[in-house]
Amino acid sequence: MRYILDRLGFLLISAWAAVTINFILPRLMPGNPALLMVDRYQGELGPRALAAIKLQFGITSQPMLTQYWHYLGNLLQGHLGISLTYYPVSVSHIIATSLPWTLGLAGTATVIAAILGTLLGIFAAWKRNLRTDSILTTGTTFTGAIPHQYLGLLLLLILSYHFHWFPVAHSYSASMTPQWTFPFAETVVYHSLLPAVTIVVPGLGGWLLHMRNNMIQTLGDDYIVFAQAKGVSPRGVMLRHAARNALLPSVTNFAMAIGFVVGGVLLVEVVFSYPGVGYQLFTAVQNEDYPLMQGLFLIISLSVLVLNFLVDLLYGLIDPRARRTGVA
Amino acid sequence: MSDDTAILTVDHATVVYGSEAGLAQAVNDVSLAVAPGHILGVVGESGCGKSTLAQAIMRLLSPNAALVEGRIAVRGRDMYRMSENELRMFRWKHVSMVFQSALVTLNPVIPVGKQFQEIFQIHEPTMSQVQVRKRIEELLSLVRIHPQNLSNYAHELSGGMRQRIAIAMAIALDPVLVVMDEPTTALDAVVQREILDEIRRIQEIKRFAVVFISHDLRLVSYISTEIAVMYAGKIVEVGSAHHFMAAAHHHPYTQGLLDSVPKLSGEGFTIRAIPGSPPDLVHPVRGCAFHPRCSAAYDACLAASPILRSVGSSKFACFDIERRENEKAHG
Amino acid sequence: MAEMTVNDTNKDLPNDSPHRARTSSLFGWIKVMKKNRKAQVGFIIFVGFILVGILAPVIARYSPTATNFPPLEPPNAQHWFGTTGLGQDVYAQFVWGTRSSLIVGFGASAISTLFAVVIGMYPAYWGGYLDRVMATFTNVFIVIPGLPLMIVAAAYVHDSSTLTMMVIIGLTGWAGRARVLRAQILTLRNREFVWAARLTGASDRRILVHEILPNMLSLFMASLMYGILGAILAEAGLEFLGLGNLTGVSWGSMLYWANNGGALLNGAWWWLLPGGLGIAMFGTSLALMNFALDEVTNPRLRQMSTLSRDRIVRAWHALRGESFQ
């Protein structure tokens, strides 16, 4: 219980940090960049929207603290402002339509990468010192250094533009409307295959290497020797005794891995014009749509934070020691 | 204690560690035998090779170590001529081990009971769940542990409880030999004594043979029937425990160990540490390995390495003792 | 990976002497690297890229921004890597791109490593309240996703000079490594040789500089290298989103222009290929060198790769054979 509270406390602190970064950044910049934006959209926006944006980005004579309270209050009510690109659509609405795509794509791809990479890591540790291990580690080291956008473009060039096997963009066929039917699900999966591969492949290496090194570290531990002494089979030693312990640091590694994944997903969405939050962030940046950008950054950060929180809870579940003492 | 009846025979065993610095001979041409129901205590400073000897007996050497010469047999069967699978089924059934700290030998993420059950799942696959459970409870009552602790994880138990459970696991299949590598070192003094008495009591019931490894000569003499003293990978003195403490003379290293035990004399404590530093196993000195730290060393000790010879009721590897014995015999 | 504790399985060999701890740092790395084939390959590729970067003006043949060549030519004798849609020489772009990508990588990594050291290491040595605050601060920055933060910062800054890029990437990418350094300090702080120095009355500064830093050198190197890789990937990401210096030439901007200039539609694979391959190859070289580093900080990995049982037996018999003949 203490462990859960501890993690919950950290979730709140980090969420507050993300929210505050969002508030401070535009105000920190020399010559408030939002001024330029307001100038640009002067004619297109109604006076009320303009006033709201000025307030949102600190173009006001109110003291900083009042602005901050105002900002927090708005957030708590779910007011993220209005998008300039899609005026007068609200930022929350854009997030609501784009977030599911990202969560679906990134979630599936990350789970696949984590499971596949971890299994390969166990396998590499099993075959340590042999050619298989060497090929696996070196190979995934290379794929791990490939930038996501590069891999995506290469796949597009070869499989979509040259062979026409896969669609070049979007998350579903333009001739269909989103609905809960099998044909629609089919087109969604078909459209998400290349983006998913593009996320999975560079991600494998980290999981593999981490798990492999942990396994080798764990295989030297005394309880492994004890298990061997008892007569546990090599397979049992690997899977029942070593893998579970070696998995623990991998779970904590998730916090760092997820950052890498999120960055990758953003770029992959841009490459494949996949209508998730990453693509919207790209649109916002191109159009200098600061309210949209802010809202997206916030929602991306919060999603990652909540995900981390859930993984921490999972960690508490599989490591009996963490439940009582808590982990750093 | 002839070799035919011995439960454990170690014949000229040499174990080498590979490291970047070179090869280290942690066990150097060691021979010994343990008869059924006997307790052989092996004493020495840390780094003398006694733990390596224990691992070698179990064929559990770390991957960077190898038995490069000699033979180790339990019940007449050469441990190093078995296939991996034969070894898996033989070990623990006939020879088992109690490690220094059960905190690190018990898997931290698996409940203790599950790890206990595993022994029977592997070696007695025909036993039913209920039978296994009953057997485990019997074993636990032998070491005075309540069965409810089985659902606990290692870190939730006290050091003494963990070690009791480790002992129960070691005798689970009624082995003829249990190797105990510093089984009480990680415990505080009071618990240490309790566990030691526990081992003695159970050993008297079950009559298994024991190789008891420790750095503490007093502990070893308390529990053993034979005592072997190791220095720099070699046995330098071996004899029956009965004669050991009262013996007329000792190897200078054993004498040093005896002197370094705090003695309560009229004036208070007197402790004498053995001067000099532990031996370098990678670059061994010429001659007797102990000569740089030995006050009795003379030219013979620098030239060659002494081998174990019977003198009186014990065996010694020491030129000085041989010389004195010769002098006594001839003049 | 560098977080793993140094833990020898071998109970019978004395192994925790201060000398050993000290030599296992940078020199240990060089020593292991000499024996490790992967690390050697990595080192050669690494040096190769550095040379390309340094010698860019000599080996580029053309200006990377000159647009006076026929557009979209596949690789040929004049243009080894072909030309872009604007008629630029791809080979020249790759060579100059190497230089600017490496500069951003090294620069940003220097900044982030400095941050990682100041925030992760110093408070950890003294411990107490400041350390706890800094540790929480670090953990918060680890979980806030890096690229989105960089994107937002870059979008506000409105200045895409090389220096700005370095600062933005450097300021957002230090947290993970700060945690690793902190963990290392926490273990080193209580090692015997540090206590020994403390008992002889050495000042904190002396202990940090003479006892602890030498033991952290390999970790610094790892930190720098991961920083370089992270920075180059980040720069490529920002460039790709149009947030970089698009008038300059870097591996990242090559990808941006290939994507936005119609390389895909025209099937101009030669335009797309070099930029990303540069990043992937350079990143691989860093990671390969890190294999050797992992072995320094983790003896079990080292034992595994260099000391198999067969080799020990062979070595022993060879030794015996020598002394007997």
Side-chain angles (χ1 to χ4, degrees), chain C residues 55-190:
Chain C
L55 298 177
V58 186
I59 58 176
R61 295 170 28 123
Y62 304 110
S63 156
T65 45
T67 53
N68 47 354
F69 304 112
L72 290 178
E73 275 204 23
N76 56 52
Q78 266 82 51
H79 305 287
W80 296 345
F81 290 5
T83 59
T84 71
L86 290 172
Q88 295 146 319
D89 183 59
V90 177
Y91 170 70
Q93 290 204 323
F94 178 75
V95 168
W96 281 97
T98 304
R99 173 182 271 208
S100 59
S101 285
L102 293 194
I103 288 174
V104 172
F106 280 88
S109 179
I111 294 172
S112 60
T113 303
L114 186 72
F115 259 71
V117 167
V118 171
I119 293 174
M121 210 178 107
Y122 273 87
Y125 177 73
W126 279 286
Y129 185 70
L130 183 69
D131 177 43
R132 280 204 298 279
V133 170
M134 283 307 184
T136 310
F137 184 60
T138 306
N139 284 336
V140 166
F141 256 86
I142 285 173
V143 290
I144 289 179
L147 190 65
L149 184 57
M150 287 180 217
I151 291 171
V152 171
Y156 282 132
V157 171
H158 261 292
D159 166 29
S160 53
S161 71
T162 308
L163 187 66
T164 315
M165 295 287 276
M166 281 196 240
V167 173
I168 289 176
I169 296 169
L171 289 189
T172 41
W174 52 269
R177 285 167 298 134
R179 183 158 82 177
V180 173
L181 289 176
R182 176 170 181 270
Q184 176 79 351
I185 281 279
L186 289 183
T187 52
L188 284 178
R189 200 171 62 166
N190 292 318

Side-chain angles (χ1 to χ4, degrees), chain A residues 17 128-129 137 141-142 149-150 153 209 213-214 216-217 220-221 256 263 285 288 290 293-294 304-305 308, chain C residues 4 9 38 140 143 147 151 155-156 158 179 236 243 255 259 272-273 276-277 280 284 287 291 294 298 300 304:
Chain A
R128 62 193 179 282
N129 260 347
T137 46
T141 298
F142 176 72
Q149 67 273 31
Y150 179 60
L153 290 174
L209 205 62
N213 288 358
N214 287 342
I216 287 168
Q217 177 79 16
D221 279 347
M256 292 200 221
V285 166
E288 289 178 3
Y290 291 129
M293 200 173 76
Q294 273 209 336
V304 170
L305 298 181
N308 262 311
Chain C
M4 285 167 192
T9 42
K38 284 182 197 165
V140 166
V143 290
L147 190 65
I151 291 171
Y156 282 132
H158 261 292
R179 183 158 82 177
L243 285 165
L255 282 181
N259 183 37
L272 179 61
L273 217 53
L277 204 60
T284 306
F291 279 139
D294 274 348
N298 188 340
R300 281 181 189 171
M304 187 207 81

Side-chain angles (χ1 to χ4, degrees), chain A residues 51-127:
Chain A
I53 283 173
K54 281 183 176 171
L55 203 60
Q56 195 178 354
F57 290 91
I59 311 168
T60 162
S61 52
Q62 281 178 3
M64 211 54 120
L65 213 59
T66 320
Q67 292 180 37
Y68 188 54
W69 279 121
H70 196 80
Y71 164 78
L72 288 183
N74 270 344
L75 274 188
L76 282 178
Q77 294 165 47
H79 294 321
L80 292 170
I82 288 177
S83 162
L84 303 176
T85 323
Y86 302 98
Y87 185 80
V89 181
S90 75
V91 170
S92 342
H93 181 78
I94 296 169
I95 288 172
T97 51
S98 56
L99 190 61
W101 289 113
T102 300
L103 289 181
L105 176 66
T108 323
T110 308
V111 169
I112 291 173
I115 292 176
L116 202 61
T118 302
L119 287 178
L120 285 174
I122 294 175
F123 187 66
W126 185 305
K127 300 278 175 196

Side-chain angles (χ1 to χ4, degrees), chain B residues 251 287-288 298-307 309 317-326:
Chain B
H251 187 280
C288 173
Y298 64 110
D299 41 354
C301 307
L302 276 63
S305 184
I307 55 168
R309 288 216 168 86
C318 178
F319 291 127
D320 184 47
I321 293 176
E322 278 177 38
R323 184 172 62 166
R324 278 190 287 160
E325 214 38 50
N326 283 340

Side-chain angles (χ1 to χ4, degrees), chain A:
Chain A
M1 197 58 211
R2 232 203 85 198
Y3 174 72
I4 297 176
L5 284 180
D6 194 51
R7 295 289 84 197
L8 195 65
F10 181 70
L11 173 67
L12 291 178
I13 291 178
S14 43
W16 170 78
V19 163
T20 306
I21 288 175
N22 219 356
F23 174 79
I24 291 178
L25 264 184
R27 289 168 174 77
L28 208 62
M29 297 299 165
N32 194 331
L35 272 172
L36 288 169
M37 167 188 70
V38 169
D39 284 347
R40 263 197 331 132
Y41 287 93
Q42 197 83 49
E44 299 168 38
L45 303 178
R48 273 191 57 198
L50 213 55
I53 283 173
K54 281 183 176 171
L55 203 60
Q56 195 178 354
F57 290 91
I59 311 168
T60 162
S61 52
Q62 281 178 3
M64 211 54 120
L65 213 59
T66 320
Q67 292 180 37
Y68 188 54
W69 279 121
H70 196 80
Y71 164 78
L72 288 183
N74 270 344
L75 274 188
L76 282 178
Q77 294 165 47
H79 294 321
L80 292 170
I82 288 177
S83 162
L84 303 176
T85 323
Y86 302 98
Y87 185 80
V89 181
S90 75
V91 170
S92 342
H93 181 78
I94 296 169
I95 288 172
T97 51
S98 56
L99 190 61
W101 289 113
T102 300
L103 289 181
L105 176 66
T108 323
T110 308
V111 169
I112 291 173
I115 292 176
L116 202 61
T118 302
L119 287 178
L120 285 174
I122 294 175
F123 187 66
W126 185 305
K127 300 278 175 196
R128 62 193 179 282
N129 260 347
L130 301 178
R131 188 168 288 266
T132 320
D133 172 33
S134 191
I135 291 172
L136 273 176
T137 46
T138 320
T140 52
T141 298
F142 176 72
T143 54
I146 300 177
H148 287 91
Q149 67 273 31
Y150 179 60
L151 182 62
L153 290 174
L154 279 184
L155 291 176
L156 269 184
L157 177 74
I158 299 165
L159 301 179
S160 300
Y161 281 94
H162 189 74
F163 289 109
H164 305 286
W165 289 344
F166 290 97
V168 296
H170 301 302
S171 59
Y172 55 89
S173 165
S175 61
M176 301 184 89
T177 47
Q179 52 195 314
W180 293 107
T181 60
F182 186 71
F184 184 72
E186 212 183 322
T187 163
V188 167
V189 170
Y190 180 52
H191 278 76
S192 68
L193 277 177
L194 278 193
V197 168
T198 313
I199 298 166
V200 168
V201 170
L204 279 181
W207 292 104
L208 181 143
L209 205 62
H210 206 253
M211 189 61 184
R212 170 188 174 270
N213 288 358
N214 287 342
M215 281 292 284
I216 287 168
Q217 177 79 16
T218 307
L219 286 173
D221 279 347
D222 286 349
Y223 55 82
I224 297 298
V225 178
F226 184 54
Q228 284 167 343
K230 282 195 302 187
V232 179
S233 67
R235 178 187 295 263
V237 168
M238 278 301 219
L239 298 179
R240 216 171 19 221
H241 286 271
R244 199 163 155 200
N245 282 285
L247 204 58
L248 296 176
S250 271
V251 175
T252 50
N253 183 45
F254 189 83
M256 292 200 221
I258 192 72
F260 180 70
V261 170
V262 168
V265 172
L266 298 188
L267 296 165
V268 169
E269 285 184 359
V270 173
V271 171
F272 292 94
S273 306
Y274 201 86
V277 287
Y279 184 71
Q280 296 295 2
L281 186 62
F282 174 63
T283 317
V285 166
Q286 281 199 318
N287 296 313
E288 289 178 3
D289 183 347
Y290 291 129
L292 182 57
M293 200 173 76
Q294 273 209 336
L296 288 168
F297 171 72
L298 204 60
I299 205 68
I300 292 170
S301 302
L302 292 181
S303 312
V304 170
L305 298 181
V306 169
L307 213 60
N308 262 311
F309 174 67
L310 295 178
V311 169
D312 279 344
L313 293 191
L314 182 75
Y315 183 83
L317 220 60
I318 59 174
D319 187 357
R321 288 164 298 184
R323 274 173 241 158
R324 292 211 312 189
T325 51
V327 280

